[in-house]
Amino acid sequence: MIFKTLAIVLSLFCFAFAAQAADHLLYFEAQGVGMWSSEKKKTVFYSQNPDAEMQKPGVGFDYLQKLSGESGDWGSIALQGRLALSEDLDSNENGNAYKVEPQIYNAYLKVKTPVTYVWVGHNRPAFGLSSYFDSHALILRTLAIQGFGYDRDWGAGLYRDFSWGDVAATATTGSGMPILFKGGNYMTAARVSYGVLSRDNYNLGVSGGYGYTLDTMGYKLMDPEPQLMRMGAVDFTYLRNSFEHRFDVYAGTWLGKDMHALFYRLGWNIDREARFKLEGQPVFWKLGDDRNYQLSVCLSVAVTSTFTVRLGYTYDHAADDNQVVLQLYFYRPI
């Protein structure tokens, strides 16, 4: 599966360098992550799960290429990848062995048409808060990163901005990070929102999704049989003064099981320069007969414009686990 992914990324790279472009942005990304778990009674080098794609120690790049012609900009290419240090559970049951895992996060071509923007590649499904809130560098998790849907998926989509909000729709493989086809897996989603966040300081969205999706965690396939996905969601973001409020509510069927999930994140930018930020987040979900909730807090300190330190704590009720996570995150233009 990784060879399919790398082949697509290489094709996008070739297209980017062959195209006439006005400009480009290239960033170097690196992070160190360690988590102490009371349930495991040890420190591990990831923040969620050894099979999940985030967060893990690694280095990578983030590249954006604008495409333009005589009439102006007509599209862009985005590529984001990294080499992550991942626990190798297959070779060592005690979890003391590690391997380097190539990861592709963003990998898409976006084209501007007279009616809408169209993208193809690895991008955000049009569902819920994660469709516009980029939290890949954060240690607090949205519902999609928590495992209800996909933060990124392979496929195609379109979106259009209006004066009152935006509309988006996607058709993807329903496999998340890897490109997988296992007998009819797919995911369709659509979202309509009211409010322009950069202008109005709020955005209210309603989403719907349907398909037969695969149970994947990072690049690992947990179950090769596609399962029914039929969900609705309501999300709301409200920014006022130094506070940020983000809500996300899911309900329906995920991986063939009835589910609902509730998410709220409160963020406080302590100083005017937003160098210090304190966040709190309760999450509750029910999937089939399983119920769980998590309580999390996180302090972020922007030491410089390119270097951020995050310290987080999460209590997981089902595992009765207390987790303390430290992240050192470096992101700078090159």
Side-chain angles (χ1 to χ4, degrees):
M1 69 182 69
I2 191 64
F3 294 107
K4 294 180 182 178
T5 304
L6 292 176
I8 291 177
V9 172
L10 181 61
S11 299
L12 285 172
F13 257 128
C14 294
F15 187 85
F17 287 117
Q20 292 183 351
D23 59 341
H24 69 274
L25 297 172
L26 178 61
Y27 293 86
F28 172 74
E29 180 184 47
Q31 67 173 315
V33 179
M35 178 182 73
W36 179 83
S37 164
S38 65
E39 190 268 335
K40 293 181 173 60
K41 295 182 174 60
K42 66 176 183 178
T43 299
V44 293
F45 296 103
Y46 52 83
S47 70
Q48 181 176 359
N49 187 289
D51 290 318
E53 67 273 17
M54 301 176 288
Q55 302 287 336
K56 297 177 179 179
V59 295
F61 68 93
D62 190 3
Y63 178 76
L64 178 64
Q65 176 77 66
K66 288 186 178 180
L67 306 176
S68 63
E70 295 181 356
S71 59
D73 294 344
W74 58 267
S76 62
I77 286 178
L79 293 169
Q80 186 175 14
R82 65 179 73 97
L83 295 176
L85 188 66
S86 181
E87 198 170 273
D88 191 355
L89 299 179
D90 294 332
S91 64
N92 192 327
E93 294 181 356
N94 295 324
N96 296 321
Y98 288 85
K99 61 182 178 181
V100 175
E101 178 183 70
Q103 295 183 352
I104 298 299
Y105 199 64
N106 288 328
Y108 61 86
L109 167 67
K110 181 174 68 176
V111 176
K112 180 169 62 175
T113 73
V115 179
T116 184
Y117 285 94
V118 178
W119 64 264
V120 59
H122 197 228
N123 202 0
R124 307 174 188 177
F127 194 87
L129 183 69
S130 292
S131 64
Y132 65 96
F133 178 50
D134 187 3
S135 59
H136 85 276
L138 308 180
I139 58 177
L140 296 186
R141 312 160 196 164
T142 61
L143 291 179
I145 295 177
Q146 196 77 42
F148 298 99
Y150 308 105
D151 190 62
R152 296 294 193 274
D153 201 10
W154 293 93
L158 55 87
Y159 71 93
R160 180 172 179 176
D161 296 322
F162 297 92
S163 61
W164 49 264
D166 62 79
V167 175
T170 54
T172 56
T173 59
S175 57
M177 293 294 288
I179 304 175
L180 296 174
F181 300 97
K182 296 290 182 179
N185 54 288
Y186 71 95
M187 173 178 165
T188 57
R191 179 180 180 271
V192 58
S193 77
Y194 180 77
V196 179
L197 193 59
S198 60
R199 182 194 66 201
D200 305 320
N201 290 330
Y202 68 83
N203 183 267
L204 173 64
V206 178
S207 307
Y210 182 84
Y212 283 84
T213 59
L214 295 172
D215 185 4
T216 59
M217 184 175 294
Y219 286 93
K220 184 175 182 180
L221 178 63
M222 311 301 289
D223 185 349
E225 185 68 24
Q227 302 291 337
L228 175 65
M229 176 267 191
R230 182 175 55 207
M231 295 198 301
V234 176
D235 63 88
F236 181 59
T237 297
Y238 179 54
L239 311 178
R240 181 174 175 82
N241 299 325
S242 58
F243 292 95
E244 302 175 359
H245 304 268
R246 305 183 193 275
F247 300 84
D248 217 1
V249 181
Y250 289 8
T253 303
W254 174 247
L255 298 177
K257 297 179 181 179
D258 292 339
M259 63 80 65
H260 59 263
L262 308 163
F263 164 100
Y264 169 58
R265 182 180 299 176
L266 172 62
W268 175 31
N269 293 299
I270 300 173
D271 63 317
R272 292 184 178 181
E273 293 78 20
R275 293 184 58 192
F276 296 87
K277 185 173 185 176
L278 183 64
E279 296 174 289
Q281 175 178 297
V283 182
F284 169 82
W285 69 85
K286 180 179 181 296
L287 179 62
D289 295 328
D290 298 328
R291 299 171 181 262
N292 194 16
Y293 69 84
Q294 292 181 342
L295 303 174
S296 302
V297 293
C298 178
L299 175 64
S300 299
V301 179
V303 181
T304 68
S305 61
T306 60
F307 178 56
T308 302
V309 178
R310 297 184 178 95
L311 179 65
Y313 165 80
T314 294
Y315 171 71
D316 186 286
H317 173 70
D320 192 22
D321 190 16
N322 295 277
Q323 304 169 356
V324 179
V325 180
L326 176 65
Q327 180 199 41
L328 308 178
Y329 184 74
F330 187 75
Y331 186 81
R332 65 158 295 169
I334 56 177

